Amino acid sequence: MSPQRLLLLPGWALGPAPLEPLADALRQRLPDYHVECVRYPALTSHRPESWVAALDHQLPQDAWLAGWSLGGMLATSLAQWRGRRARGLITLGANGSFVTRSGWPQAMTAESVGEFQRGLRASPTRTFRRFAELSAQGGRDTHRLGRQLMEALAAMPLDQALAGLGVLSALDLREVLGALKIPQLHLFGDSDALVPAAARQAIAERLPEAGRTALIEGAGHAFPVERPEETADLMATFMISADGSRHLAEGSRHVAEGSRGPGS
């Protein structure tokens, strides 16, 4: 019997390395799962559907999908693409829409994102450093965390970073969250400088009955990197509960089907 899988999709322009401590913590708590930090394909397209199609081709089916920031939004979009072929969804510091839209003010303005895109083209190092600082803001050791993130950002080719930012700006998942038929958990840091705290309530209001949100206190956008043990605890507890409920429901269905007998 092949192991169950949990796929971790990284944040914008960071690659898988910052999430490895979280992956290790999850492996300790979920010994029956194969936990993998995903490396994005080298795409330069700004179209979300191109990224989702490439991920669907690259990644194994019937897996739990989880992701941080952009990774959480891509995991949500991939869950929609796969339907029942996704076992569950967990997002970490992700929004329903990264930019403000009609009826969705809990996000960054399009003007702010546009300034960031222009800054990235004009001065990549300075803009990456600003993003690292914003991601680390609200955490317990912002200087160390900012340096750690900057090391990962410096390794990202500029064309891929720009493409990822384009995808992040284009994704609109506000209606998707309420339509998914799989277990889903959305985690937020209470001092996130990139995803407003109000986004948690807005997302919670759109989730189906089995959907859950949780807030990590004293944490910023980079809480999966700075607080991997606490993040893993919340993720693993939810996954174990959701998989247990699924197995119970499947067992009940099999019993019911068997009790009808032939000709019933």
Side-chain angles (χ1 to χ4, degrees), residues 5-257:
R5 291 181 177 271
L6 168 61
L7 306 174
L8 294 176
L9 279 65
W12 173 74
L14 286 163
L19 289 182
E20 282 295 349
L22 174 59
D24 288 340
L26 286 163
R27 292 178 187 118
Q28 295 173 17
R29 291 158 175 78
L30 300 167
D32 296 331
Y33 286 76
H34 176 82
V35 181
E36 176 186 349
C37 287
V38 174
R39 182 175 296 279
Y40 292 131
L43 295 174
T44 57
S45 170
H46 291 224
R47 299 171 64 246
E49 53 268 34
S50 297
W51 285 57
V52 174
L55 288 169
D56 185 54
H57 177 75
Q58 171 186 330
L59 301 176
Q61 301 286 337
D62 195 33
W64 274 85
L65 303 173
W68 172 32
S69 192
L70 170 62
M73 297 186 73
L74 284 170
T76 302
S77 192
L78 181 57
Q80 179 192 29
W81 180 290
R82 290 185 166 183
R84 293 288 187 179
R85 291 176 294 135
R87 294 186 67 83
L89 170 70
I90 300 177
T91 73
L92 314 169
N95 208 333
S97 171
F98 189 72
V99 298
T100 55
R101 302 180 192 273
S102 176
W104 196 267
Q106 307 89 351
M108 293 185 68
T109 65
E111 292 77 11
S112 295
V113 175
E115 290 176 6
F116 193 84
Q117 289 174 322
R118 291 188 291 273
L120 190 59
R121 292 187 177 94
S123 180
T125 300
R126 180 183 300 173
T127 306
F128 279 143
R129 183 173 295 111
R130 177 58 178 157
F131 175 73
E133 292 170 350
L134 287 171
S135 297
Q137 186 175 316
R140 294 170 175 171
D141 188 348
T142 58
H143 295 297
R144 180 194 61 79
L145 186 56
R147 289 195 301 271
Q148 181 181 354
L149 295 175
M150 188 60 197
E151 289 176 4
L153 289 163
M156 177 60 57
L158 180 58
D159 59 348
Q160 293 177 39
L162 285 166
L165 188 58
V167 170
L168 186 62
S169 301
L171 281 167
D172 182 0
L173 305 169
R174 294 172 294 167
E175 302 305 321
V176 174
L177 294 168
L180 292 174
K181 305 300 184 184
I182 55 175
Q184 49 180 313
L185 171 67
H186 304 274
L187 301 180
F188 302 87
D190 69 344
S191 300
D192 193 323
L194 295 171
V195 177
R200 178 198 174 191
Q201 183 60 34
I203 287 173
E205 291 171 355
R206 291 172 179 261
L207 295 180
E209 185 176 350
R212 298 288 183 268
T213 68
L215 193 67
I216 298 180
E217 295 184 0
H221 190 65
F223 69 85
V225 180
E226 187 179 35
R227 312 261 288 271
E229 300 289 334
E230 186 175 348
T231 304
D233 282 340
L234 291 167
M235 294 175 67
T237 298
F238 179 78
M239 291 174 63
I240 291 168
S241 175
D243 280 340
S245 297
R246 179 188 290 113
H247 294 153
L248 182 63
E250 290 174 350
S252 298
R253 186 175 70 250
H254 293 156
V255 168
E257 290 172 350

